[in-house]
Amino acid sequence: RRVLFRSLQRAKIWSKYAKDVISYVEKRTAMQVDFSKNLTKLVQTCRPQLQEESYLPFQSIYCTALDNDLELCASMQTSSGLLQGYKFLEPLQSRRSEHEKVRKSLKESWHKELKRMHDEVDKLRKARTVYIQRHQEWERCRDAARIAEQGAELGATAENKLDKRKKLEEEAAGKAVEAENHYRLCVDDANVRHRNLLGVKSRVLQQIRELLMQADQTMKAVTVSYFQQQHTLTAPCPVQFQDRKST
């Protein structure tokens, strides 16, 4: 049960981790979009001012920097759109949603089966208690009947009292047999329930392994996409800065 508990806990932890990653990328791409919009406005405002006069020092370099900024803004918009769509957020959100649905279903099915097992064990314990009590009562009645028989043989016990003791013994014996049969039935039911529990445990563990494997595959795929987009977005910047520095 510890293995299953840890597996369910691991699935829950992955879901929380995926939620945190999604939140980070959502906020970062939103900030990136806002930055690109603000930078575009800045370029559009500053370009006419920088080009009012001619033959100023490094004027062409700053105009080129503005062009590079516009290219960067366009790339940011494109990259953010891809990450907010099929490159990152959509597949990861979809995977997490399905992951949570299956995880909760597996957890519920396990807890239901575990509760059935606990109920069956409680039923078995009660049946065993009744079985012991009934046999003890039968033994007491049997001893009392034996004493009455011995008393009757010696003439110390009335016939009606002996009959009464024998009747009580027969009733107690019947109840003891009935309790024993019920106890045996509860033992069989508990064994069946235990086998079912082991089957459910095996199935749930297998499905959790598959669930976590799918989750990790999706996380790997979107992570590769994310850093590919970051590389595509930022790779031209060092070269552009180097070119302008050397000019």
Side-chain angles (χ1 to χ4, degrees), residues 22 35 56 144 156 208:
I22 288 170
F35 174 75
L56 295 170
I208 290 176

Side-chain angles (χ1 to χ4, degrees), residues 111-214:
H111 283 174
K112 281 184 177 179
E113 195 62 33
L114 199 60
K115 185 179 184 303
R116 293 189 187 105
M117 183 73 247
H118 288 160
D119 291 344
E120 204 64 54
V121 170
D122 289 340
K123 182 180 175 183
L124 177 61
R125 287 172 179 165
K126 291 177 182 178
R128 185 175 183 274
T129 299
V130 173
Y131 163 70
I132 293 173
Q133 290 173 346
R134 293 287 187 269
H135 269 263
Q136 290 174 343
E137 181 64 24
W138 179 29
E139 289 174 359
R140 285 194 293 270
C141 291
R142 186 175 57 191
D143 292 342
R146 188 182 303 114
I147 293 172
E149 285 181 353
Q150 293 173 353
E153 292 174 357
L154 298 174
T157 302
E159 190 69 24
N160 61 343
K161 186 175 182 180
L162 177 60
D163 292 340
K164 182 178 179 181
R165 292 289 173 84
K166 286 186 175 181
K167 183 178 180 181
L168 289 174
E169 181 191 0
E170 290 175 0
E171 291 176 353
K175 291 180 179 180
V177 171
E178 182 181 347
E180 182 176 355
N181 291 336
H182 179 63
Y183 176 52
R184 291 180 183 276
L185 180 62
C186 288
V187 170
D188 292 338
D189 290 343
N191 287 333
V192 170
R193 183 58 61 192
H194 185 253
R195 287 193 293 271
N196 289 343
L197 182 68
L198 293 178
V200 171
K201 177 184 176 182
S202 178
R203 177 178 60 82
V204 170
L205 277 173
Q206 180 62 30
Q207 288 185 291
I208 290 176
R209 291 190 191 101
E210 293 174 359
L211 189 67
L212 288 172
M213 183 177 67
Q214 294 169 351

